């Protein structure tokens, strides 16, 4: 079978607009708020979808809505889609206050009509997640809920951490952790299907795209522009005039050559791959946005995550540097990047 013949379902538990009641961390004083579970679930699902697109899989987003969708409706959608398999993203909790319970686990249901395959998928994803993330493994377990028990395809659910563990609450917002969960889940899917996994960080895997291109990487480009950077585009796999305009705008905002060609440098900035650039007040772009997300995940609030290195971002950088024994200069160089990107 060609990779495009596999139809991979991606599902995120709960909703964020409005938030599903009770599905959130305890109050975090440093941020002045709670983190909603779906802030992680949806972001990890989207990174999983990106990874699947890169493998040339066909992808079905079970719940594209921001609001919650009932289990019965999601089961109906799944069973109507004739999926090869389904992966659901969730985050765990233990009690109502912060405590030491931690770790990652993956679930399947013995009541699923493809229970044996579901267990194998769960094990393949679990092995990759434990190898690729900083999480403690809690094992592969059984759970009888609708998206595992009542669907007609192989199905597994990832609980990537505990909202009630302070460190793992921060990981919910961490773009590196979110991306790694999505990537390792896709890597496990590739193991399960017996296909080669194409890694995210190797730019040689990304083709040059230009107006008129039509392929799976155009879907990927559009998906990233819409979901990571907020552009209003149709995700149709056709590099038309609106996609060209979005690419040019992205290039301008990142001080790249505004040529409308998506080559290695534009892909690098879209994906915020290392090596990370030196950042200081007054700069803007995708790496500043990435920096702001990292600071929030370490509980140094920056206000609006807008990709603009303004006074609040400067204050957060200085506070982070001071707390981590770094030179307090407000400049994000190699030492500050190393501390920010440490997931331990």
């Amino acid at each position: 079978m060609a990779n495009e013949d596999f139809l991979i379902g991606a599902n995120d538990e709960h909703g964020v607009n409005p938030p599903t009641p009770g599905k959130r961390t305890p109050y975090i004083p440093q941020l002045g708020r709670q983190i909603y579970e779906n802030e992680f679930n949806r972001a990890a699902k989207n990174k999983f979808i990106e990874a699947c697109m890169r493998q040339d899989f066909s992808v079905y987003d079970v719940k594209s809505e921001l609001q919650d969708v009932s289990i019965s409706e999601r089961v109906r959608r799944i069973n109507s889609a004739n999926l090869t398999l389904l992966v659901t993203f969730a985050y765990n909790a233990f009690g109502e206050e912060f405590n030491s319970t931690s770790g990652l686990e993956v679930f399947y249901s013995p009541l699923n009509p493809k229970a044996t395959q579901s267990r194998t998928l769960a094990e393949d994803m679990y092995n990759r997640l434990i190898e690729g993330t900083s999480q403690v493994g809690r094992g592969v377990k059984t759970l009888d809920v609708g998206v595992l028990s009542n669907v007609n395809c192989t199905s597994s659910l990832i609980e990537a951490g505990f909202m009630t563990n302070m460190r793992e609450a921060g990981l919910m917002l961490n773009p590196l952790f979110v991306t790694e969960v999505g990537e390792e889940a896709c890597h496990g899917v590739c193991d399960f299907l017996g296909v080669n996994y194409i890694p995210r960080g190797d730019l040689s895997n990304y083709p040059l795209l230009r107006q008129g291109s039509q392929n799976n990487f155009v879907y990927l480009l559009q998906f990233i522009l819409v979901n990571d950077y907020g552009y209003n585009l149709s995700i149709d796999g056709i590099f038309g005039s609106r996609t060209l305009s979005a690419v040019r705008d992205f290039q301008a905002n990142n001080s790249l050559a505004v040529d409308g060609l998506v080559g290695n440098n534009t892909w690098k900035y879209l994906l915020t791959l290392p090596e990370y650039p030196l950042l200081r007040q007054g700069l803007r772009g995708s790496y500043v946005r990435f920096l702001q997300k990292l600071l929030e995940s370490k509980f140094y609030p920056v206000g609006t995550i807008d990709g603009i290195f303004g006074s609040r971002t400067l204050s957060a950088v200085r506070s982070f540097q001071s707390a981590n024994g770094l030179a307090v200069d407000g400049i994000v160089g190699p030492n500050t990047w190393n501390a920010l990107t440490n997931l331990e």
Side-chain angles (χ1 to χ4, degrees):
M1 293 180 67
N3 283 13
E4 64 186 12
D5 294 328
F6 296 113
L7 180 55
I8 309 301
N11 177 48
D12 57 308
E13 287 293 290
H14 313 301
V16 73
N17 186 21
T20 302
K23 302 298 183 179
R24 63 194 73 187
T25 69
Y27 182 78
I28 300 172
Q30 299 95 316
L31 295 181
R33 71 179 185 95
Q34 297 166 294
I35 302 169
Y36 301 125
E37 181 184 347
N38 194 253
E39 291 183 66
F40 169 83
N41 297 347
R42 184 177 180 85
K45 178 193 72 174
N46 285 344
K47 291 303 175 185
F48 174 72
I49 290 174
E50 289 179 21
C52 288
M53 286 180 173
R54 195 175 62 251
Q55 316 308 317
D56 203 27
F57 293 144
S58 298
V59 184
Y60 176 70
D61 187 349
V62 173
K63 187 179 79 66
S64 59
E65 300 94 336
L66 289 174
Q67 70 269 26
D68 205 350
V69 173
S70 69
I71 290 179
S72 61
E73 171 58 18
R74 280 183 278 146
V75 168
R76 186 198 66 77
R77 294 177 184 181
I78 293 160
N79 287 342
S80 298
N82 195 28
L83 300 178
T84 304
L85 58 84
L86 172 71
V87 178
T88 297
F89 293 88
Y91 225 75
N92 220 329
F94 183 77
E96 297 182 358
E97 303 297 331
F98 284 117
N99 57 68
S100 61
T101 302
S102 66
L104 179 150
E105 47 202 2
V106 182
F107 293 91
Y108 74 98
S109 171
L111 301 181
N112 182 286
K114 296 184 177 180
T116 300
Q117 296 95 319
S118 295
R119 177 174 181 170
T120 301
L121 173 62
E123 290 170 343
D124 286 340
M125 291 196 300
Y126 177 81
N127 290 337
R128 289 296 181 181
L129 285 159
I130 295 306
E131 177 185 354
T133 73
S134 56
Q135 291 295 77
V136 172
R138 295 173 60 90
V140 173
K141 301 179 180 180
T142 59
L143 181 67
D144 294 329
V145 295
V147 294
L148 295 179
S149 306
N150 299 325
V151 297
N152 56 14
C153 64
T154 299
S155 179
S156 298
L157 181 149
I158 298 165
E159 295 268 15
F162 279 77
M163 294 182 289
T164 44
N165 177 287
M166 182 65 83
R167 171 185 168 272
E168 294 184 0
L171 290 178
M172 295 171 71
L173 300 178
N174 192 299
L176 290 172
F177 178 72
V178 169
T179 298
E180 197 62 48
V181 170
E183 286 289 329
E184 298 301 346
C186 179
H187 201 162
V189 166
C190 290
D191 292 341
F192 175 77
L193 296 174
V195 303
N196 291 328
Y197 167 76
I198 299 171
R200 181 175 189 267
D202 185 351
L203 286 170
S204 68
N205 292 321
Y206 297 84
L208 176 68
L209 301 179
R210 54 167 49 91
Q211 188 172 18
S213 297
Q214 295 187 42
N215 56 46
N216 218 47
F217 279 90
V218 178
Y219 278 106
L220 175 60
L221 167 67
Q222 293 168 331
F223 191 86
I224 292 171
L225 287 169
V226 170
N227 288 284
D228 289 357
Y229 299 106
Y231 287 93
N232 182 18
L233 294 173
S234 296
I235 302 172
D236 57 10
I238 301 170
F239 197 135
S241 59
R242 293 192 66 182
T243 300
L244 176 63
S245 177
V247 167
R248 288 180 175 275
D249 184 71
F250 178 85
Q251 291 172 328
N253 285 336
N254 284 276
S255 300
L256 301 170
V258 184
D259 55 12
L261 301 176
V262 184
N264 279 359
N265 214 26
T266 299
W267 278 119
K268 179 179 184 291
Y269 274 73
L270 284 163
L271 300 165
T272 56
L273 297 177
E275 296 176 350
Y276 302 125
L278 187 76
L279 298 180
R280 54 167 49 89
Q281 189 173 18
L283 295 178
R284 64 172 61 214
S286 62
Y287 282 96
V288 175
R289 187 179 183 89
F290 177 67
L291 165 67
Q292 291 171 327
K293 289 182 177 182
L294 287 172
L295 288 165
E296 290 274 337
S297 77
K298 304 286 187 180
F299 304 145
Y300 294 87
V302 299
T304 302
I305 295 176
D306 55 8
I308 301 170
F309 198 136
S311 59
R312 290 202 63 178
T313 300
L314 175 64
S315 177
V317 168
R318 288 181 175 275
S319 295
F320 178 82
Q321 290 172 328
S322 177
N324 286 272
L326 301 167
V328 184
D329 56 9
I331 298 172
V332 183
N335 291 337
T336 301
W337 277 123
N338 286 340
L340 282 166
T341 55
N342 182 3
L343 296 181
E344 298 297 330

